[in-house]
């Protein structure tokens, strides 16, 4: 079975923790994301998955938007395909190369609501020409009653007409995928081309986005090289194993079938040598508190209910759950750090492991252009910073001669009057002073 999940994350950065929990729960073979809201220098790091991205061009540097991504298991043979320049759609493409089967192309597409309803299908047609077996998982922002929406819109009519004309099949879940203000519609679905296998598709009410994640499972037979998780390979031993293998390089190849059999045998030799000379690397599994998982699920359900009914009671419940999650998350993080500090000892090397991240090399400060010229040496740079700080934090001149004279006269007058008043009283006796001190 080929398990695929596609989801409009509406910003993956703030949802990464619950996304990891979701992936560990469903273990999909491929994950197709839309609206990642990632900058070109940002990526998603997920154990046992390779990731590929397309970023929105000309996005705001402080408020990134758009973008698509594909995460695929690293034990599935695959390669990325760079799509042509697209104007009205955003797409990321990966081809899966199963043994003894034609390649399967996975495409994660996002069609912005502002895209031209009469032209964007041309770009989808360009993507469909990449290969024969296509699976396009898309947030189309399109409504049509044929896939379960409440009404038809121009973009939905264009997709429906395009699918009929091109002979494509639309795979949509039976329950809503996107929840808006007093509305719930199906606008996230898949389009397949020449991929006629049994399937099941479901909209799952999890993850905190206005879109539900969609699971799409195809029931087909395929072979995957069985790598036992992450491996550390001894490449010298790998080279010697291949050198001593029984594979003989043929001098003559008569037919195409003969060439295919030779290549299959060579591939098997390489895979077997890789596995035999590799050792599994122990993975660091992240433990997620069960109470936090329960609160996340309850929060996501409350969010979906509020987006549908706009009930203030549901909004208050949602805010309360968010506060509980933040408070519990901070407590778990604090307790984990406290336990780490308590378990640090000087005998088993844990002190060294704890302080190693803090011993990073300092970065060289580039040359500075100061008032006195270019500062190249460390001493010149230090003097430049000193002068800059002195200039920024010089005390303001708040002197005022009239105010100072007035204050001086008032103080002098007070001191004179106080001395004259104090002379009218007799000094206290020794007994009175002693009694006052006791009190």
């Amino acid at each position: 079975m080929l398990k695929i999940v596609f989801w409009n994350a509406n910003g993956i950065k703030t949802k990464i923790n619950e996304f990891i929990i979701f992936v560990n729960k469903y273990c999909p073979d491929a994950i197709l994301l839309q609206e990642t809201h990632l900058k070109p220098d940002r990526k998603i790091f997920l154990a046992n998955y390779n990731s590929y991205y397309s970023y929105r061009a000309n996005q705001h540097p402080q408020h990134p938007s758009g973008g698509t991504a594909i995460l695929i298991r690293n034990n599935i043979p695959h390669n990325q395909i760079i799509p042509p320049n697209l104007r009205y759609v955003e797409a990321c493409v990966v081809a899966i190369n199963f043994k003894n089967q034609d390649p399967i192309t996975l495409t994660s597409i996002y069609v912005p609501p502002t895209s031209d309803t009469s032209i964007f299908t041309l770009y989808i047609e360009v993507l469909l020409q990449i290969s024969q077996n296509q699976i396009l998982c898309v947030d189309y922002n399109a409504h049509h009653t044929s896939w379960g929406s409440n009404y038809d819109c121009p973009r939905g009519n264009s997709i429906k007409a395009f699918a009929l004309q091109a002979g494509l099949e639309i795979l949509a879940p039976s329950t809503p995928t996107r929840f808006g203000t007093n509305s719930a519609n199906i606008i996230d679905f898949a389009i397949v081309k020449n991929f006629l296998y049994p399937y099941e598709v479901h909209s799952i009410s999890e993850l905190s986005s206005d879109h539900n994640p969609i699971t799409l499972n195809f029931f087909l037979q395929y072979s995957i090289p069985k790598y036992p998780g992450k491996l550390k390979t001894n490449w010298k031993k790998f080279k010697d194993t291949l050198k001593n293998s029984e594979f003989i390089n043929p001098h003559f190849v008569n037919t195409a079938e003969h060439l295919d059999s030779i290549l299959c045998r060579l591939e098997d030799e390489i895979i077997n040598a890789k596995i035999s000379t590799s050792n599994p690397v122990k993975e660091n599994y992240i433990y997620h508190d069960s109470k936090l998982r329960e609160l996340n699920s309850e929060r996501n359900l409350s969010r979906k209910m509020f987006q549908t009914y706009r009930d203030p009671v549901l909004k208050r419940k949602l805010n309360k759950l968010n506060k509980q999650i933040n408070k519990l998350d901070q407590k778990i993080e604090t307790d984990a750090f406290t336990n780490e500090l308590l378990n640090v000892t000087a005998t088993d090397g844990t002190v060294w492991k704890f302080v190693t991240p803090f011993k990073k090399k300092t970065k060289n400060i580039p040359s500075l252009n100061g008032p006195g010229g270019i500062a190249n040496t460390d001493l010149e740079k230090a003097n430049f910073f000193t002068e800059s700080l002195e200039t920024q934090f010089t005390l303001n001149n708040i002197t005022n001669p009239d105010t100072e004279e007035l204050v001086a006269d008032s103080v002098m007058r007070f001191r004179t009057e106080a001395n004259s008043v104090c002379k009218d009283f007799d000094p206290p006796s020794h007994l009175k002073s002693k009694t006052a001190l006791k009190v």
Side-chain angles (χ1 to χ4, degrees), residues 405-424:
E405 184 179 356
L406 178 62
V407 171
D409 293 341
S410 299
V411 172
M412 183 61 68
R413 192 182 310 112
F414 173 79
R415 293 177 64 181
T416 304
E417 292 176 356
N419 289 333
S420 62
V421 172
C422 292
K423 292 178 180 178
D424 297 339

Side-chain angles (χ1 to χ4, degrees), residues 68-84:
T68 61
I70 295 179
L71 289 84
I72 189 164
R73 284 192 174 275
N74 53 18
N75 65 335
I76 295 179
H78 65 277
N79 63 279
Q80 184 183 15
I81 298 176
I82 305 300

Side-chain angles (χ1 to χ4, degrees), residues 145-204:
T145 54
S146 63
W147 53 74
S149 295
N150 299 328
Y151 61 94
D152 298 345
C153 72
R155 187 178 288 104
N157 292 330
S158 298
I159 293 176
K160 180 63 177 177
F162 173 70
L164 290 175
Q165 184 179 3
L168 307 176
E169 187 176 359
I170 296 176
L171 311 182
S174 58
T175 54
T177 64
R178 198 260 179 186
F179 296 82
T181 305
N182 298 322
S183 66
N185 279 296
I186 300 175
I187 61 174
D188 305 88
F189 49 88
I191 289 180
V192 296
K193 174 188 176 184
N194 299 333
F195 200 74
L196 303 178
Y197 289 94
Y199 70 91
E200 61 180 12
V201 57
H202 302 286
S203 173
I204 303 177

Side-chain angles (χ1 to χ4, degrees), residues 192-263:
V192 296
K193 174 188 176 184
N194 299 333
F195 200 74
L196 303 178
Y197 289 94
Y199 70 91
E200 61 180 12
V201 57
H202 302 286
S203 173
I204 303 177
S205 183
E206 295 190 26
L207 300 176
S208 55
S209 172
D210 53 346
H211 293 254
N212 279 350
I214 315 299
T215 60
L216 177 59
N217 301 326
F218 289 99
F219 299 91
L220 66 156
Q221 297 293 328
Y222 57 88
S223 60
I224 298 178
K226 295 183 179 180
Y227 297 154
K230 289 187 176 181
L231 300 175
K232 184 177 181 181
T233 305
N234 185 333
W235 292 110
K236 185 178 182 304
K237 191 176 179 180
F238 170 79
K239 182 179 178 180
D240 295 339
T241 302
L242 282 181
K243 188 181 296 184
N244 298 328
S245 66
E246 298 178 356
F247 179 79
I248 300 175
N249 190 13
H251 297 286
F252 300 99
V253 177
N254 299 324
T255 62
E257 290 78 9
H258 186 202
L259 178 61
D260 289 339
S261 64
I262 293 172
L263 291 177

Side-chain angles (χ1 to χ4, degrees), residues 278-341:
S278 303
N279 294 319
V281 178
K282 185 178 179 181
E283 297 180 2
N284 296 323
Y285 291 97
I286 300 175
Y287 171 74
H288 296 280
D289 187 78
S290 58
K291 180 63 176 178
L292 188 61
R293 289 199 298 266
E294 293 176 4
L295 288 175
N296 270 327
S297 300
E298 189 176 357
R299 187 269 308 274
N300 295 338
L301 178 60
S302 299
R303 185 192 302 273
K304 294 291 191 302
M305 296 294 291
F306 171 71
Q307 290 171 341
T308 304
Y309 300 106
R310 293 292 170 177
D311 189 347
V313 176
L314 296 174
K315 180 63 175 178
R316 288 195 294 269
K317 181 180 179 181
L318 176 62
N319 293 336
K320 183 179 178 180
L321 289 171
N322 278 326
K323 291 180 180 179
Q324 291 179 1
I325 290 173
N326 293 334
K327 188 175 180 180
L328 181 59
D329 193 22
Q330 293 177 359
K331 181 178 181 299
I332 292 173
E333 186 176 352
T334 303
D335 292 344
F337 187 71
T338 303
N339 292 333
E340 187 178 1
L341 287 176

